[in-house]
Amino acid sequence: MKQASELNDRKPSLLTSTISGDVNGIATILGSDLTTTASTQSLAWLAGSLWLGRPLKSARLEKALDLTLRLLVDHGPYVSGAVNTIITARAGKDLVSSLVSGLLTIGPRFGGAINGAASVWFHSVEAGTSPVDVVEDYAKRKAYIPGIGHRKYSVTLPDPRVEILTKVVEDIAHPYLDFARQVSSQTTAKKPNLILNVDGCIAAVLLDLLSEEEHLGSAEISGLLETEFFNAVFVLSRSVGFIAHYLDQKRLGEPLFRLPENEVLTVSSPPLV
Ligand code: ACO
Ligand code: LMR
């Protein structure tokens, strides 16, 4: 047994971790043996548990994370992140540089609107704000509602990923999905492409599962919102796609990319006086 004086003499730790370690030759994650846990659990369970900092309880949430990770994996070479990765690969750069250049486009307009949407759905439901008031508030401020709108999809061309994802919470209480849908019925009445997009849908589905199935309280969900938990799923999944685009370009041996001049509008600036 160590004496109190001995404990007091201990050097303070340089860092603290609550999720994993490797002590006395046994690597652990979340308090269990790494190799056993990794051999028996799905990647979705591992990701969800490590991100929450404790083992996932809900099998439905695990299934939803797995489905989301699979559905988001790629959306063609057209989207911001894939374009960046492709251009970087064609400039002769390495795997990590090309991947990171794609990841850097994930944010409020592309892929990284999940957290912002979750924040709006969560705080509005908590405060009892009506969907109409949310839409009006954003319109007044001329701001975009995260999780609403798509360049390609619209009411006449629904996003198939959204249709599949909403089914996950169909037979449980889903106040956040209901709220998000009510917002989108207001916005689509203004413009047909102002649909509930895949980011907004994932935000609502995750909120419903975290509160109804994983039984997270309001403070815990607020903590997840502050640390951008909700965007993690897009970052992880789309990394697979970006890596695939990098490898595809290298396989094809594509040359340096340069924009054709006729695709760029050149406007001469007024002369300096
Ligand atoms: N909320 C309110 N109004 C909007 C929104 C929105 N989210 N998005 C577009 N509008 C309005 C614009 O104000 C504009 O109105 P106006 O014609 O009266 O000026 C009109 O719709 C068209 O706007 P654009 O910017 O041309 O719309 P675009 O089709 O280019 O935008 C985009 C698509 C970028 C997704 C946009 O809707 C947006 O920023 N949405 C919020 C962010 C978001 O959820 N991104 C995730 C998309 S899904 C994904 O990346 C995986
Ligand atoms: C995506 O998943 O990348 C998209 O929804 C964005 C897009 O414009 O297709």
Side-chain angles (χ1 to χ4, degrees):
M1 179 104 157
K2 285 200 185 344
Q3 298 299 310
S5 58
E6 260 186 280
L7 288 173
N8 288 342
D9 285 348
R10 277 196 354 205
K11 277 200 328 193
S13 312
L14 288 178
L15 61 81
T16 306
S17 169
T18 65
I19 55 166
S20 59
D22 190 351
V23 181
N24 300 330
I26 300 177
T28 56
I29 48 168
L30 303 170
S32 301
D33 181 75
L34 165 70
T35 51
T36 311
T37 311
S39 311
T40 52
Q41 300 288 3
S42 67
L43 183 59
W45 185 92
L46 291 166
S49 301
L50 286 165
W51 292 343
L52 283 179
R54 57 151 183 77
L56 219 60
K57 291 181 232 159
S58 157
R60 195 191 286 260
L61 177 55
E62 176 188 357
K63 238 174 116 186
L65 279 173
D66 177 59
L67 178 64
T68 309
L69 289 169
R70 287 185 282 128
L71 284 172
L72 289 178
V73 76
D74 187 33
H75 211 228
Y78 329 96
V79 305
S80 305
V83 168
N84 255 25
T85 295
I86 288 170
I87 289 174
T88 311
R90 289 180 56 167
K93 300 284 292 210
D94 57 285
L95 167 71
V96 173
S97 305
S98 306
L99 169 63
V100 165
S101 113
L103 290 176
L104 287 173
T105 66
I106 297 176
R109 291 188 186 159
F110 166 67
I114 308 179
N115 212 77
S119 182
V120 178
W121 312 153
F122 178 71
H123 293 300
S124 306
V125 170
E126 283 265 289
T129 313
S130 77
V132 176
D133 286 348
V134 168
V135 174
E136 272 177 16
D137 171 54
Y138 273 84
K140 249 190 251 148
R141 294 188 282 119
K142 295 195 187 313
Y144 283 14
I145 307 165
I148 294 291
H150 201 278
R151 267 283 163 94
K152 174 179 167 175
Y153 297 119
S154 68
V155 280
T156 50
L157 182 64
D159 184 338
R161 298 170 298 180
V162 170
E163 307 210 322
I164 292 174
L165 280 163
T166 55
K167 291 204 172 74
V168 175
V169 290
E170 228 161 45
D171 58 343
I172 59 165
H174 46 261
Y176 297 105
L177 181 60
D178 282 345
F179 186 88
R181 278 174 165 159
Q182 284 161 23
V183 168
S184 72
S185 24
Q186 299 292 319
T187 52
T188 50
K190 297 184 179 191
K191 268 197 186 75
N193 76 318
L194 297 185
I195 48 155
L196 176 64
N197 64 38
V198 72
D199 279 17
C201 174
I202 292 167
V205 167
L206 285 180
L207 281 171
D208 282 325
L209 290 167
L210 287 168
S211 57
E212 299 296 325
E213 293 273 311
E214 203 63 31
H215 306 297
L216 260 60
S218 176
E220 283 173 292
I221 293 183
S222 295
L224 296 181
L225 288 167
E226 276 160 30
T227 50
E228 224 189 314
F229 169 90
F230 293 84
N231 283 339
V233 72
F234 193 95
V235 173
L236 174 62
S237 174
R238 198 52 68 89
S239 291
V240 176
F242 293 164
I243 291 170
H245 282 293
Y246 162 83
L247 293 171
D248 189 40
Q249 294 304 304
K250 295 294 181 183
R251 230 176 3 247
L252 290 167
E254 288 288 78
L256 179 69
F257 180 81
R258 193 173 195 276
L259 282 171
E261 281 156 30
N262 62 359
E263 295 288 350
V264 176
L265 173 66
T266 306
V267 188
S268 39
S269 48
L272 288 173
V273 273

